[in-house]
Amino acid sequence: MRQLPPLAAVRVFEAAARHENFTVAAGELGMTQAAVSYQIRLLEQRLGVPLFRRARRRVTLTEAGRRAGAQLAAAFDSIDAAFAVLRAEDEAVLTVSVTNTFANTWLAWRLGGFHLAHPTTAVRLWTSNALTDFAADEVDVAIRSGPGGWPGLAQHELLPLDFTPMCSPGFLAGQGGRLEPVDLLQLPLISAQDPWWAQWLREAGLDVVEARRTGMRLDSQAHEGHAAIAGQGVAMLTPFFWHNDLVAGRLVRPFAQLSSMGEAYWLVYPEARARVPKIRRFREWLIEALDRDRAAGGG
Amino acid sequence: MRQLPPLAAVRVFEAAARHENFTVAAGELGMTQAAVSYQIRLLEQRLGVPLFRRARRRVTLTEAGRRAGAQLAAAFDSIDAAFAVLRAEDEAVLTVSVTNTFANTWLAWRLGGFHLAHPTTAVRLWTSNALTDFAADEVDVAIRSGPGGWPGLAQHELLPLDFTPMCSPGFLAGQGGRLEPVDLLQLPLISAQDPWWAQWLREAGLDVVEARRTGMRLDSQAHEGHAAIAGQGVAMLTPFFWHNDLVAGRLVRPFAQLSSMGEAYWLVYPEARARVPKIRRFREWLIEALDRDRAAGGG
DNA sequence: CGCCGAGCATAAGCGTGACTTATCAGCCCG
DNA sequence: CGGGCTGATAAGTCACGCTTATGCTCGGCG
């Protein structure tokens, strides 16, 4: 029966022994010098043997420490090797399946921040509006809209998918500078067949019998928004995605009413991979970046 | 740069892989089955790979798990070996230097409990009234009386060393059934030269000019107490040590006054060995056993 | 000679995640 | 069909590993 010391302390000692320098070891392990000092002392007290000699503002290994350190380095290499085969997959590349809209209006502009925070992990964006088959597509995480509740997937709600009509300032001026909901029935609506229109108009008190089939139909809110900016009509957009364009005056939002179909944007990935480091890092960065944006007043 | 999973989880997995049984692994590691299940799941989520197949009320290793498990077993053996040389000292024997008094009146009667709790650690008692040289005597821990404050030693106060006169019931009857402090000056005092007598009598309001040199002198409270039980006179004893004899009526305590010279009994050992497992186990058992005794009303 | 920076030790305080307890669910067996 | 093994799961607790802040010592340098 083995009688191992606490492995956290052992790991710290191995790093400290390699460098013969607590501060450097702390840096390697991503912790503070004080923590290293603490763990080493713990281990020494447990063994009853000094592992380092403290002298003149520096530490040197004792003979006992040197021998143990060398053997531990090999042991940890072995542990590392044991798991290396299991994570044969590329830890350096994270593949994100993401809708066109989210990629264009938000993610592409922020991804630099992730790379700054985690220089060793490259992100590959895979824009697709279809639901992801994680196994087949070699996708690590997906950003999707929907009602949530996918089985076998961990999910994090990113933002509620609400919407309101928007158009270009020029377009609005052409309509006399202001609009009532009822006016929309006469105006060119971008992707008018989208159920969002019916929902919003219904909530505005207008009884819409049938969806209008006329006008342009685009397959992504990103395109719809750009069409609206170009003055082609009124688009039903999610304010969060168009915050910058609203602030910059490229888009205006004639109505306060904000509707929703109960959907949201989600970050999802297989539950079984919830703690894969690259996935965890991306999740934490994404949620924090969104929080920051919300605190700053929108997208 | 290595990218190791949390080592606590790795250690649990190694044991679980060896047994292919979470409950048994939990037993080996001294934790609950729930904890093992938790750690395995953590590890699997981190690797993104199932290590066990759950089927029919039992777990079997997956191929990935089997390979990793085998390699980990070797790695932990290596870690164990790295420290084995350092703890060349005998983990199976704990040497306790202890005063005659404490050994006879308390420790010897309780030691069985320690052995029950820790069957693999044998305790060797080394009774000696001299202060211990831990290095020279190959003593692990010492139980000593004194004022405390030894440099380089960790210390735990066990009990205050207070004292009061005691004698046998027969002896007391021979004196008319009750005593006043002043009577003591005429009676045979056991180890009358002991400064405890002067201290107690002074606190009782009697001015003792010189220590009495007559009567028997014994070198240990254990012997003094037994002499008192034998009716040889009045001894100055620590109630905690003689609780059983007081309850059983072998000794009586004529006075409520309890004096002290500010000393106490201490458990001490070198600070550098504070976390050596056998020392830690003994410390925890000893302090708990004393607490239990105190809760039960004395030694 | 005195100041500063590098390096480790130490104290205090905090947050979290590794545990425990309790319960449920599946399966085997008598 | 119930009892006795398994493991999974949920909730709640507590230890302890970590951070922050500070002190100390030593060496280098102007």
Coordinates of all heavy atoms in Angstrom, one line a residue, chain D residues 4-7 9-11 13-16 20-25 29-30:
Chain D
dG4 P -30.5 -7.5 3.5 OP1 -30.2 -8.2 4.7 OP2 -31.0 -6.1 3.5 O5' -29.2 -7.5 2.5 C5' -29.0 -8.7 1.7 C4' -28.1 -8.3 0.5 O4' -28.9 -7.8 -0.6 C3' -27.1 -7.2 0.9 O3' -25.9 -7.5 0.3 C2' -27.7 -5.9 0.3 C1' -28.3 -6.5 -1.0 N9 -29.3 -5.7 -1.6 C8 -30.3 -5.0 -1.0 N7 -31.1 -4.4 -1.8 C5 -30.6 -4.8 -3.1 C6 -31.1 -4.4 -4.4 O6 -32.1 -3.7 -4.7 N1 -30.4 -5.0 -5.3 C2 -29.3 -5.9 -5.1 N2 -28.7 -6.4 -6.2 N3 -28.8 -6.2 -3.9 C4 -29.6 -5.6 -2.9
dC5 P -24.5 -7.3 1.1 OP1 -24.1 -8.6 1.6 OP2 -24.8 -6.1 2.0 O5' -23.5 -6.8 0.0 C5' -23.8 -5.6 -0.8 C4' -23.6 -5.8 -2.2 O4' -24.9 -5.9 -2.8 C3' -22.9 -4.7 -2.8 O3' -21.5 -5.2 -3.2 C2' -23.6 -4.4 -4.1 C1' -25.0 -5.0 -4.0 N1 -26.1 -4.1 -3.7 C2 -26.7 -3.5 -4.8 O2 -26.3 -3.8 -6.0 N3 -27.8 -2.6 -4.6 C4 -28.1 -2.3 -3.4 N4 -29.1 -1.5 -3.2 C5 -27.5 -2.9 -2.2 C6 -26.5 -3.7 -2.4
dT6 P -20.5 -4.1 -3.6 OP1 -19.2 -4.8 -3.6 OP2 -20.7 -2.9 -2.7 O5' -20.8 -3.8 -5.1 C5' -20.8 -2.5 -5.5 C4' -21.5 -2.3 -6.8 O4' -22.9 -2.6 -6.6 C3' -21.4 -0.9 -7.3 O3' -20.3 -0.8 -8.2 C2' -22.7 -0.7 -8.0 C1' -23.7 -1.6 -7.3 N1 -24.5 -0.9 -6.2 C2 -25.5 -0.1 -6.6 O2 -25.8 0.1 -7.8 N3 -26.2 0.5 -5.6 C4 -26.0 0.3 -4.2 O4 -26.7 0.9 -3.4 C5 -24.9 -0.6 -3.9 C7 -24.5 -0.8 -2.5 C6 -24.2 -1.1 -4.9
dG7 P -19.2 0.3 -8.0 OP1 -17.9 -0.2 -8.6 OP2 -19.3 0.7 -6.6 O5' -19.8 1.5 -8.9 C5' -20.9 1.3 -9.4 C4' -21.6 2.3 -10.2 O4' -22.9 2.4 -9.6 C3' -21.1 3.8 -10.2 O3' -21.4 4.4 -11.4 C2' -21.8 4.4 -9.0 C1' -23.2 3.6 -9.0 N9 -23.6 3.4 -7.6 C8 -22.9 2.8 -6.6 N7 -23.6 2.8 -5.5 C5 -24.8 3.4 -5.8 C6 -26.0 3.7 -5.0 O6 -26.1 3.4 -3.8 N1 -27.0 4.3 -5.7 C2 -26.9 4.7 -7.1 N2 -27.9 5.3 -7.6 N3 -25.8 4.4 -7.8 C4 -24.8 3.8 -7.1
dT9 P -25.5 10.9 -12.9 OP1 -26.4 11.1 -14.0 OP2 -24.1 11.3 -13.0 O5' -26.1 11.6 -11.6 C5' -27.4 11.2 -11.2 C4' -27.9 11.9 -10.0 O4' -27.3 11.3 -8.8 C3' -27.5 13.4 -10.0 O3' -28.6 14.2 -9.7 C2' -26.5 13.5 -8.8 C1' -27.0 12.3 -7.9 N1 -26.0 11.8 -7.0 C2 -26.4 11.6 -5.7 O2 -27.5 11.8 -5.2 N3 -25.4 11.0 -4.9 C4 -24.1 10.7 -5.2 O4 -23.3 10.2 -4.4 C5 -23.8 10.9 -6.6 C7 -22.4 10.5 -7.1 C6 -24.7 11.4 -7.4
dA10 P -28.6 15.8 -10.0 OP1 -29.7 16.1 -10.9 OP2 -27.2 16.2 -10.3 O5' -29.0 16.3 -8.5 C5' -29.9 15.5 -7.8 C4' -30.0 16.1 -6.3 O4' -29.0 15.4 -5.5 C3' -29.6 17.6 -6.3 O3' -30.4 18.2 -5.4 C2' -28.1 17.5 -5.8 C1' -28.2 16.3 -4.9 N9 -26.9 15.6 -4.7 C8 -25.9 15.4 -5.7 N7 -24.9 14.8 -5.3 C5 -25.1 14.5 -4.0 C6 -24.4 13.9 -3.0 N6 -23.2 13.3 -3.1 N1 -25.0 13.8 -1.7 C2 -26.2 14.4 -1.5 N3 -27.0 15.0 -2.4 C4 -26.4 15.0 -3.6
dA11 P -30.4 19.8 -5.2 OP1 -31.8 20.3 -5.4 OP2 -29.3 20.3 -6.0 O5' -30.0 20.0 -3.7 C5' -30.5 19.0 -2.8 C4' -29.7 19.2 -1.4 O4' -28.5 18.4 -1.5 C3' -29.3 20.6 -1.2 O3' -29.4 20.8 0.2 C2' -27.8 20.6 -1.6 C1' -27.4 19.3 -1.2 N9 -26.2 18.7 -1.9 C8 -25.8 18.9 -3.2 N7 -24.7 18.3 -3.5 C5 -24.3 17.7 -2.4 C6 -23.2 16.9 -2.0 N6 -22.3 16.6 -2.9 N1 -23.2 16.4 -0.8 C2 -24.1 16.7 0.1 N3 -25.2 17.5 -0.1 C4 -25.2 17.9 -1.3
dT13 P -25.2 23.4 5.7 OP1 -26.1 23.5 6.8 OP2 -25.0 24.5 4.7 O5' -23.8 22.9 6.2 C5' -23.5 21.5 6.2 C4' -22.1 21.2 6.3 O4' -21.5 21.0 5.0 C3' -21.3 22.4 6.9 O3' -20.5 21.8 7.9 C2' -20.5 22.9 5.7 C1' -20.3 21.7 4.8 N1 -20.2 22.0 3.4 C2 -19.2 21.4 2.6 O2 -18.4 20.7 3.1 N3 -19.2 21.8 1.3 C4 -20.1 22.6 0.7 O4 -20.0 22.8 -0.5 C5 -21.1 23.2 1.5 C7 -22.1 24.1 0.9 C6 -21.1 22.9 2.8
dC14 P -19.7 22.7 8.9 OP1 -20.0 22.2 10.3 OP2 -19.9 24.1 8.6 O5' -18.1 22.3 8.6 C5' -17.8 21.0 8.2 C4' -16.5 21.1 7.5 O4' -16.7 21.6 6.1 C3' -15.5 22.1 8.1 O3' -14.3 21.4 8.2 C2' -15.5 23.3 7.1 C1' -15.7 22.6 5.8 N1 -16.4 23.4 4.7 C2 -15.9 23.3 3.4 O2 -15.1 22.4 3.2 N3 -16.5 24.1 2.5 C4 -17.5 24.9 2.8 N4 -18.0 25.7 1.8 C5 -17.9 25.1 4.1 C6 -17.3 24.3 5.1
dA15 P -13.2 21.8 9.2 OP1 -13.2 20.9 10.3 OP2 -13.3 23.3 9.5 O5' -11.9 21.6 8.3 C5' -11.8 20.3 7.6 C4' -11.1 20.5 6.4 O4' -11.7 21.4 5.5 C3' -9.6 21.0 6.6 O3' -8.8 20.4 5.6 C2' -9.8 22.5 6.2 C1' -10.9 22.5 5.1 N9 -11.7 23.6 5.0 C8 -12.3 24.4 6.0 N7 -13.0 25.4 5.6 C5 -12.9 25.3 4.3 C6 -13.5 26.1 3.2 N6 -14.3 27.1 3.5 N1 -13.2 25.7 2.0 C2 -12.5 24.7 1.7 N3 -11.9 23.9 2.6 C4 -12.1 24.2 3.9
dC16 P -7.3 20.2 5.9 OP1 -7.0 18.8 6.1 OP2 -7.0 21.2 7.0 O5' -6.6 20.7 4.6 C5' -7.4 20.7 3.4 C4' -7.0 21.9 2.5 O4' -7.9 23.0 2.6 C3' -5.6 22.5 3.0 O3' -4.9 22.9 1.8 C2' -6.0 23.7 3.8 C1' -7.2 24.2 2.9 N1 -8.1 25.1 3.6 C2 -9.0 25.9 2.8 O2 -9.0 25.7 1.6 N3 -9.8 26.8 3.4 C4 -9.8 26.9 4.7 N4 -10.6 27.8 5.3 C5 -8.9 26.2 5.5 C6 -8.1 25.3 4.9
dT20 P -3.8 38.5 -5.6 OP1 -4.4 39.0 -6.8 OP2 -2.4 38.1 -5.6 O5' -4.0 39.5 -4.4 C5' -5.0 39.3 -3.4 C4' -4.6 40.1 -2.2 O4' -4.0 39.2 -1.2 C3' -3.7 41.2 -2.3 O3' -4.1 42.3 -1.5 C2' -2.3 40.6 -1.9 C1' -2.8 39.7 -0.7 N1 -1.9 38.6 -0.4 C2 -1.7 38.3 0.9 O2 -2.2 38.9 1.8 N3 -0.9 37.2 1.1 C4 -0.3 36.4 0.1 O4 0.5 35.5 0.4 C5 -0.5 36.8 -1.2 C7 0.1 36.1 -2.4 C6 -1.3 37.9 -1.4
dA21 P -3.4 43.7 -1.6 OP1 -4.4 44.8 -1.5 OP2 -2.5 43.8 -2.8 O5' -2.5 43.7 -0.3 C5' -3.1 43.2 0.9 C4' -2.1 43.2 2.0 O4' -1.3 42.0 2.1 C3' -1.0 44.3 1.9 O3' -0.8 44.9 3.1 C2' 0.2 43.6 1.4 C1' 0.1 42.2 2.1 N9 0.7 41.1 1.4 C8 0.9 40.9 0.1 N7 1.6 39.8 -0.2 C5 1.9 39.3 1.0 C6 2.6 38.1 1.4 N6 3.1 37.2 0.6 N1 2.7 37.9 2.7 C2 2.2 38.7 3.6 N3 1.5 39.8 3.4 C4 1.4 40.1 2.0
dT22 P 0.2 46.2 3.3 OP1 -0.5 47.1 4.2 OP2 0.7 46.6 1.9 O5' 1.4 45.5 4.0 C5' 1.1 44.7 5.2 C4' 2.4 43.9 5.6 O4' 2.6 42.9 4.6 C3' 3.6 44.8 5.5 O3' 4.1 44.9 6.9 C2' 4.6 44.0 4.6 C1' 4.0 42.6 4.6 N1 4.3 41.9 3.4 C2 4.9 40.6 3.5 O2 5.1 40.1 4.6 N3 5.2 40.0 2.4 C4 5.0 40.5 1.1 O4 5.3 39.8 0.1 C5 4.4 41.7 1.0 C7 4.1 42.3 -0.4 C6 4.1 42.4 2.1
dG23 P 5.4 45.8 7.2 OP1 5.0 46.7 8.3 OP2 6.0 46.3 5.9 O5' 6.4 44.7 7.7 C5' 6.0 43.5 8.3 C4' 7.1 42.5 8.4 O4' 7.1 41.7 7.2 C3' 8.5 43.1 8.6 O3' 9.2 42.4 9.5 C2' 9.1 43.0 7.2 C1' 8.4 41.8 6.6 N9 8.3 41.7 5.2 C8 7.8 42.7 4.4 N7 7.9 42.4 3.1 C5 8.5 41.2 3.1 C6 8.8 40.3 2.0 O6 8.6 40.5 0.8 N1 9.5 39.2 2.4 C2 9.7 38.8 3.7 N2 10.3 37.7 3.9 N3 9.4 39.6 4.7 C4 8.8 40.7 4.3
dC24 P 10.6 43.0 10.1 OP1 10.5 42.8 11.5 OP2 10.8 44.3 9.4 O5' 11.7 42.0 9.5 C5' 11.4 40.6 9.5 C4' 12.5 39.9 8.6 O4' 12.0 40.0 7.2 C3' 13.8 40.6 8.6 O3' 14.8 39.7 9.1 C2' 14.1 41.1 7.2 C1' 13.1 40.2 6.4 N1 12.7 40.9 5.1 C2 12.9 40.3 3.9 O2 13.5 39.2 3.9 N3 12.4 40.9 2.8 C4 11.8 42.1 2.9 N4 11.4 42.6 1.7 C5 11.6 42.7 4.1 C6 12.0 42.1 5.2
dT25 P 16.3 40.2 9.4 OP1 16.7 39.5 10.6 OP2 16.3 41.7 9.3 O5' 17.1 39.7 8.1 C5' 16.8 38.3 7.6 C4' 17.6 38.1 6.3 O4' 16.9 38.7 5.2 C3' 19.0 38.8 6.3 O3' 19.9 37.8 5.8 C2' 18.8 40.0 5.3 C1' 17.7 39.5 4.4 N1 16.9 40.5 3.8 C2 16.6 40.4 2.4 O2 17.0 39.5 1.7 N3 15.9 41.4 1.9 C4 15.4 42.5 2.6 O4 14.7 43.4 2.1 C5 15.7 42.6 4.0 C7 15.2 43.7 4.9 C6 16.4 41.6 4.5
dC29 P 25.9 45.5 -10.0 OP1 25.5 45.1 -11.4 OP2 27.3 45.3 -9.5 O5' 25.5 47.0 -9.8 C5' 24.2 47.4 -9.5 C4' 24.2 48.8 -9.1 O4' 24.2 49.0 -7.6 C3' 25.4 49.7 -9.6 O3' 25.0 50.9 -10.1 C2' 26.2 49.9 -8.3 C1' 25.1 49.9 -7.2 N1 25.6 49.5 -5.9 C2 25.1 50.2 -4.8 O2 24.2 51.0 -4.9 N3 25.5 49.8 -3.5 C4 26.5 48.9 -3.4 N4 26.9 48.6 -2.2 C5 27.0 48.2 -4.5 C6 26.6 48.6 -5.8
dG30 P 26.0 51.7 -11.0 OP1 25.6 51.5 -12.4 OP2 27.4 51.4 -10.6 O5' 25.6 53.2 -10.6 C5' 24.2 53.5 -10.4 C4' 24.1 54.6 -9.3 O4' 24.5 53.9 -8.0 C3' 25.0 55.8 -9.5 O3' 24.3 56.9 -9.1 C2' 26.1 55.5 -8.5 C1' 25.5 54.7 -7.4 N9 26.4 53.8 -6.7 C8 27.2 52.9 -7.2 N7 27.9 52.2 -6.3 C5 27.4 52.8 -5.1 C6 27.8 52.5 -3.7 O6 28.6 51.6 -3.3 N1 27.1 53.2 -2.8 C2 26.2 54.2 -3.1 N2 25.6 54.8 -2.1 N3 25.8 54.5 -4.4 C4 26.5 53.8 -5.3

